[in-house]
Amino acid sequence: MADIELPMSAGNPDVSGWPDRWNNVRKLLERTGPLAHPDFEPGTEVFDFIQSTCRLLVVGAGGLGCELLKDLALMGFCNIHLIDMDTIDLSNLNRQFLFRPKDIGKSKADIAAAFINARVPGCSVVPHYKQIQDFDEEFYRGFHLVICGLDSVMARRWINGMLISLLKYDDGVLDQSTVIPLIDGGTEGFKGNARVVLPGMTACVECTLDLYPPQVNFPMCTIAHTPRLPEHCVEFVKMLLWPKENPFGEGAVIDGDNPAHIQWIFKKAQRRAEEFGILGVTYRLTQGVVKHIIPAVASTNAVIAAACATEAFKIASSCAMPLQNYMLFNDSDGLFMYTFEAERKDDCLACSQVPQNLSFTDQTKLEQVIDHLQQSVAYRMKSPGITTVIDGKNRTLHMSTIPSIERKTRPNLKKTLKDLGLQNGQEIVVADVTTPSAIIFKLNLTSRVDSGPGEA
């Protein structure tokens, strides 16, 4: 993208000397049409709202996020906040066009925001080089729309849970003024999807969790004894060497966004590959295995980002009916697009407000309960911590995220639910990184194991 001279006036959308800048956008907003929302009232006030009042939060400044920022800024949105905790890598430059070689190693959020602010007069992008979990409810409550361009199902689930936690009800009736729409885009090679979630009203991310393919896992015996693929070597270091050698201190968790962590795994995986004559272990592959990254295609990012930005414009202005509510895109063999309305689950873990039931026998061990929460398609938790109340006292049964507590509660893993003092009908509280709010489960200690949420 060649540098050109543009009239600059930071913070002023109506740039002097560029009077017809927004003519095409105004045509959509200052007259009605057959596709307009029933509540749409054409006029100059709509575009004034988009430019001066509407606050957007974009989560992710990668391949999809760069496209989103460009599209949103050029559609007239002037108040945008951006969250991304990643830094720029050389491999990003082929598709994340807001970055240059001189930016390698710097914050994606900072550089992307600076680029848009300098290139699009009047647009203000505020960067946050942090994790989404670093912000509280008040921060997220300050936005009209949240738009995600993420490569992590876990992060999607967390944002979804946060927006649902902001909902308020009056005698069981949802207060629609507390609804913050979520627009989510995702790409996987030549495939992509865009969706609109109205928390508490339409299917949320958790309702359709089964649409996300489970992560590919390799047999441990193959990883440990007969590796054949470069991925096996990376998994060997990740699963076996890391907890054994504790290269960054005891209890340190692998951070896929930490270059030092990835470099250590990469070097160890290379040595493992040399021992077995395996080729193909690269830094990029190592990062991809650790973070479960699938190679991205720039054109797919462009299509999905355009769809998400269009939905944001439609919701903010009501100039057209929004997507109902899921769009699929595939151009791996020809061109295929399809839209359908994903349905809410009556017993959704996040948005149903229905107590969740777990059924086990009283001889089930605690480690089996945790395995179920991690492996079940309905839950897919990462590192669930379990607490409960026994004899009127709070008791932590197991928590793996804090080393000192993990060591103290590790013996509980081999104990049965009966040995732990749990009874039929008792409630356990489960906290996990996939959701900002703890989930309460009711134990049904029977002779069978449930296969999903809500079953007795």
Side-chain angles (χ1 to χ4, degrees), residues 228-230 273 277-281:
R228 299 183 300 275
L229 301 172
I278 298 172
L279 302 176
V281 175

Side-chain angles (χ1 to χ4, degrees), residues 437-449:
S437 305
I439 301 169
I440 299 176
F441 288 91
K442 183 179 180 180
L443 288 177
N444 292 327
L445 298 185
T446 63
S447 59
R448 68 185 181 88
V449 179

